[in-house]
Each structure stands twice: as C-alpha cells, then as structure tokens.
Amino acid sequence: MNLEWRRVVITAVVLAVFFGLGVGFVAYTQQKTADQIELNRQAVLLGQIMAVLQGEGHDNNPAEDAFLLPDPESLDLGAPVIEASTGEVMPETLSVEARERAMDAGQLGFRARQDGEVVAVAIPVVTHRGYSGDIRLLVGIKPNGELTGVRVLEQNETPGLGDKIKADKTDWIEGFAGRRLGDPPADAWAVKKDGGVFDQFTGATVSPRAVVAAVKQALEYAEDHHRLLFDQVPREEDEHE
C-alpha cells in the first residue's frame, strides 16, 4: 500500500512539474510572439509614415513622435477615445493601454522634426464614401500646408477598378504631392468628371472622388488646427522662464 501511494505521489509530482514547464513555455512563447508582433507593427507604421513624407528631411523617428489628434471627429475618426484637447506630444504618463486604444481608433498623428522643429505631420483621415465601404488614408502635410504625400491604409474597393487608388496598383495617388489648398482652387478639388483637376479611373469614379474629398478635408483640418499640429511643444526649461 505504501509503495502504491509512493507511486501516486511521484506521478503527481512529475505531472505537476511538466504542467508548470508547459505553462511557462507557453507564456514565454506568447510574450516573445507579442513582442515580435509589436515590432512588426512599428515597422509597418514607420514604413507608412515614411511613404507619405516622401523624403522630407527629418532627424527623429516620427513613429515614436506620436500625439493625440485634436478634434478627431473633423477627420471622420469618431469621438475621442481619450480626453485630450492640446494635440501635444504623447505624454509619458499615458498608459500603454491608452496609447493602444488611440492607435486602434486611428486617432494618433505623427510629427517629423529636423533639429527639433516640426517639418511635417502625418495624420489619418477616413472617408465613408468609398464604393465598398470606408477608405482610410494617411496624409503628410508641411507647416505651409503643402502635401508631402498620401497613402491608402485600408480599403475594400473593387479589385482592378477602385483599388487603383493604392500606390502599389498605379501612381495615381502620387498626384497629390506638392498640392495645397488653393492649388488647385477650391472648386477644382474634384475628379475631372465633376469639373476638377484629378483623374478618375475608367469604370471607377466613386473611389478617386472619395479620396480627393478626404485629402482636401485633411488639408482643411490642418489649416484649422495649425497651432496644435505644428507649433513647438515648450521645452521643460522654458516653462519656468
């Protein structure tokens, strides 16, 4: 009986050890996977930002110079998921969870700086007027209101037709670089079918029409919130002067 009991105890201990090792291995694997996913996400994000900056010189990492967008509703991004009214650089006190919520909601902008000066911002905008649903864009804008570039982040437009708004399909999206409000005039910010200057695609007018309107919306937003987007955040030593 004692021998039998000893075997039960040994078996239970062995099972417990293997169970503990298994749980630890799974937890370790999940953590490493989560870290890799986050690194991949940051790499993709930086790639998207660099694409809209189109070589605009800067010496910071714009993906790490994130800020909460003031009045995200003006960009059709929904009500703020985090209460913030200044649009200043993301404070260090903001929790990782809060940053993730803002990122997932598409309510973060990104600043490119040269010697501390903001030389461009990359801001998201969404249009609900796509042929097959929402189209999400990232728009690069200089302090003088000039577009550095535009890229499509998400879209569900018809393959071979509306999806030509994507940079890997055609060079149509490149036509925004260098434009600003007034160039073209306000009534010419439209596709040619509507009397504007921007091309549409054969058999697909809805998608480019939606993108043109969204880019103009982003430019108007940047003009309306210029100080919050481009003004320098006071240095800590300057706050006491």
Side-chain angles (χ1 to χ4, degrees):
M1 191 69 178
N2 288 339
L3 181 60
E4 197 63 35
W5 174 250
R6 219 177 283 121
R7 286 177 178 171
V8 170
V9 171
I10 292 173
T11 300
V13 170
V14 170
L15 289 174
V17 169
F18 276 105
F19 176 77
L21 290 173
V23 170
F25 178 75
V26 170
Y28 173 79
T29 302
Q30 287 180 331
Q31 181 58 50
K32 295 297 287 184
T33 301
D35 291 344
Q36 187 60 52
I37 289 174
E38 179 58 25
L39 287 174
N40 292 343
R41 181 178 181 177
Q42 287 295 317
V44 170
L45 175 61
L46 181 58
Q48 292 168 335
I49 295 171
M50 295 302 291
V52 302
L53 291 179
Q54 299 271 22
E56 186 68 27
H58 60 279
D59 56 15
N60 70 324
N61 180 351
E64 295 179 353
D65 202 335
F67 62 96
L68 296 172
L69 290 167
D71 188 21
E73 294 151 303
S74 295
L75 295 169
D76 286 335
L77 300 172
V81 294
I82 301 172
E83 289 302 320
S85 59
T86 65
E88 293 196 355
V89 170
M90 187 77 67
E92 293 181 2
T93 55
L94 193 66
S95 69
V96 173
E97 180 184 355
R99 180 186 173 111
E100 287 297 314
R101 282 193 289 125
M103 178 75 78
D104 291 341
Q107 295 181 1
L108 289 183
F110 306 92
R111 290 187 175 101
R113 299 175 187 268
Q114 184 68 44
D115 297 325
E117 181 181 355
V118 179
V119 294
V121 295
I123 59 175
V125 61
V126 62
T127 172
H128 307 302
R129 299 177 181 177
Y131 184 79
S132 300
D134 291 352
I135 300 174
R136 292 184 175 273
L137 307 169
L138 190 65
V139 181
I141 307 174
K142 296 181 182 180
N144 65 2
E146 180 183 331
L147 288 165
T148 62
V150 180
R151 284 294 182 273
V152 177
L153 299 181
E154 293 181 23
Q155 57 84 36
N156 294 292
E157 303 303 274
T158 307
L161 292 173
D163 70 342
K164 292 179 181 178
I165 57 177
K166 295 180 61 182
D168 61 350
K169 301 294 182 181
T170 72
D171 62 358
W172 178 84
I173 201 79
E174 301 289 354
F176 291 103
R179 299 282 190 176
R180 67 180 77 199
L181 294 178
D183 176 22
D187 59 358
W189 270 90
V191 295
K192 290 179 179 177
K193 186 176 181 179
D194 299 333
V197 301
F198 295 96
D199 290 332
Q200 63 267 333
F201 310 127
T202 302
T205 302
V206 174
S207 306
R209 178 186 287 144
V211 171
V212 170
V215 173
K216 182 171 181 283
Q217 180 181 4
L219 286 172
E220 292 170 341
Y221 170 88
E223 183 176 72
D224 292 341
H225 299 84
H226 190 278
R227 182 182 63 80
L228 297 177
L229 297 179
F230 298 104
D231 277 8
Q232 302 303 300
V233 176
R235 293 176 302 171
E236 192 171 315
E237 59 267 28
D238 292 338
E239 294 178 354
H240 305 291
E241 292 181 359

